[in-house]
Amino acid sequence: MLRARSPVRPERRTRADVIVAVVLAVVVLGGGVLYWRSSAAATTESVTAAPGTFPQPPSSAATVPAGFTQAWREPSAATSAPLVVGPAVVTADGGAVTGRDATTGTAHWSYTRTAQLCTAGSGFGEVMALYRNHDATACSELTVLAPSSGARRAQSNPDALPGTRLLDTGTLVAITGANYVQVVRSDLVKTTEYGTVATPDQPGRQPRPDCDFGSFAVTQGRLAVLERCPGESDDRLTVVAPDGGSDATTPSVVFSQPQPGPHGQVVAASGDRVAVARPAPARLEVVDGQGNLVSTFAVPVPDADLAADPPGGVARTTSDNQHIYWWTGSATVAIDRGDLTPAWTLPDTSGPAVRYGDSVLVPVRGGLQVVNPATGAVGRTIPVDRGSWTGPVVPGVAGSVLLEQRGPELVALTPAR
């Protein structure tokens, strides 16, 4: 192993010398290991996989098997749901982001920093890792990694605080916050920003710079924000065009309308419609592209499910080609992807549903319900031993491998033989 250092003598170091990178490269089994040091954070280690060596996940199943067997489990506290990007199942914990084989959990690449992760997600078909800055006060170091190799693609310094989430619209990624949200494109250039700008280049470009944000939802061409503003007793629903216009510092607001009633939460967005859930009584309100209420649906869940903002400001949802599956906190609701109409509700569940073969699987205490996606009818329940974990379960799939995010841990289940 060779180590290259700057030839500067310690007693003659300048500030410029301190931030000079120290690079060490070693070839390992066709892959690579890269170490460097920057002024913003301490050592980074990148272990990449050689091109074409990452195994593909097993083929998707046509039907639900008789049962599942735990294949592997790994800590992943920086993800809120299973993160599957390309061939990799990605775990993110502490300062490490790791691309794993879906079936075995074997690590094929890793990207590790001594800085702590704020969150990890996907965008543009790649892995996005957002780290805290050097004094851990902000989440301002974003790195994009190739899912098949772990190679670093790009990096930038967004304005975000702990608690942020990365929301993928398909072509853009929104980086959320308590009072500020920004959107970036694939080269990580900012396309728009909305909210309280810390140090605006040109003040006065934000229409409401003093509001607090409760929840978010994204879809192609739309970013929905439920905000609470000084002097307003009602929620305000604002929809912004995430691709912005000619100037990213001036948001292109599609509409912004007060929403009378108890505080709610944005659940989903689709086309020009937004679904907002409200308590007392529990209901789902659908708003059109001008901010007008077009329909209201009773939702048979406790008011307590809807009385607070969702964790991280993002409703716990999954989706397939037909439905968005929303977990309210005690029940799973299937919402039509087109008009956001609720299709069915299952009570006493532990998380949203996930499509698996010709059915959907819904986590419940002690197992998985096998459910008809069109009707919500439960066919059977597959036992799953989750040990002492009794909290929310967010499922995902990688081929025929079923994934469960159980709090700070990711668990992989394979069909039982």
Side-chain angles (χ1 to χ4, degrees):
M1 184 174 292
L2 301 178
R3 184 177 299 273
R5 295 187 182 273
S6 169
V8 179
R9 294 173 182 166
E11 65 272 16
R12 298 184 59 188
R13 271 189 175 178
T14 66
R15 177 178 173 80
D17 298 326
V18 175
I19 63 173
V20 172
V22 178
V23 178
L24 170 63
V26 181
V27 175
V28 180
L29 297 177
V33 181
L34 179 64
Y35 301 83
W36 68 87
R37 182 176 295 134
S38 72
S39 61
T43 306
T44 297
E45 176 184 347
S46 177
V47 181
T48 59
T53 61
F54 204 112
Q56 294 297 315
S59 299
S60 299
T63 59
V64 178
F68 288 97
T69 301
Q70 180 177 301
W72 56 270
R73 61 197 308 152
E74 292 288 343
S76 189
T79 56
S80 57
L83 181 54
V84 181
V85 192
V89 174
V90 180
T91 56
D93 193 78
V97 182
T98 307
R100 300 182 182 277
D101 177 276
T103 304
T104 65
T106 301
H108 289 275
W109 58 258
S110 64
Y111 180 88
T112 306
R113 300 181 61 174
T114 53
Q116 291 292 300
L117 283 157
C118 288
T119 189
S122 64
F124 329 113
E126 299 190 300
V127 180
M128 306 187 76
L130 184 58
Y131 285 87
R132 292 177 183 259
N133 61 354
H134 66 286
D135 60 7
T137 59
C139 303
S140 58
E141 298 180 17
L142 178 63
T143 298
V144 176
L145 307 169
S148 59
S149 67
R152 189 176 59 164
R153 298 290 202 196
Q155 63 182 36
S156 70
N157 299 103
D159 294 321
L161 295 174
T164 184
R165 295 286 185 87
L166 303 172
L167 305 181
D168 184 12
T169 73
T171 57
L172 300 165
V173 170
I175 305 170
T176 70
N179 57 16
Y180 173 80
V181 59
Q182 69 182 94
V183 182
V184 296
R185 64 193 192 196
S186 60
D187 58 3
L188 303 188
V189 171
K190 181 168 59 182
T191 61
T192 196
E193 63 182 356
Y194 181 74
T196 304
V197 180
T199 54
D201 294 330
Q202 300 184 52
R205 296 201 168 196
Q206 293 295 322
R208 281 168 298 279
D210 299 316
C211 301
D212 294 327
F213 299 161
S215 50
F216 306 84
V218 297
T219 189
Q220 187 72 40
R222 294 288 188 273
L223 165 64
V225 184
L226 198 69
E227 48 186 330
R228 285 138 199 167
C229 301
E232 297 183 355
S233 59
D234 296 325
D235 290 343
R236 174 176 288 273
L237 178 62
T238 300
V239 171
V240 177
D243 53 358
S246 58
D247 185 355
T249 65
T250 304
S252 176
V253 177
V254 179
F255 71 81
S256 185
Q257 295 283 357
Q259 304 292 303
H263 282 333
Q265 56 179 269
V266 172
V267 172
S270 180
D272 67 348
R273 296 195 168 195
V274 180
V276 179
R278 296 189 185 282
R283 62 195 187 274
L284 195 69
E285 298 178 347
V286 179
V287 175
D288 67 13
Q290 288 74 49
N292 301 313
L293 180 65
V294 294
S295 53
T296 301
F297 304 93
V299 182
V301 301
D303 281 337
D305 283 10
L306 313 180
D309 295 326
V314 181
R316 284 172 282 206
T317 63
T318 56
S319 63
D320 58 22
N321 292 333
Q322 294 178 314
H323 295 116
I324 297 166
Y325 302 102
W326 166 44
W327 188 60
T328 69
S330 68
T332 302
V333 182
I335 301 171
D336 184 90
R337 284 186 65 97
D339 59 11
L340 301 183
T341 301
W344 47 263
T345 300
L346 286 179
D348 301 322
T349 63
S350 301
V354 68
R355 190 65 178 252
Y356 193 100
D358 56 0
S359 302
V360 293
L361 299 178
V362 180
V364 294
R365 186 70 64 88
L368 293 159
Q369 290 182 335
V370 182
V371 178
N372 183 313
T375 65
V378 178
R380 57 191 170 98
T381 299
I382 300 172
V384 175
D385 182 3
R386 299 190 179 101
S388 62
W389 180 254
T390 59
V393 176
V394 182
V397 293
S400 61
V401 177
L402 177 67
L403 303 165
E404 290 190 345
Q405 182 85 40
R406 303 175 190 168
E409 189 173 48
L410 183 69
V411 180
L413 307 172
T414 53
R417 295 182 179 180

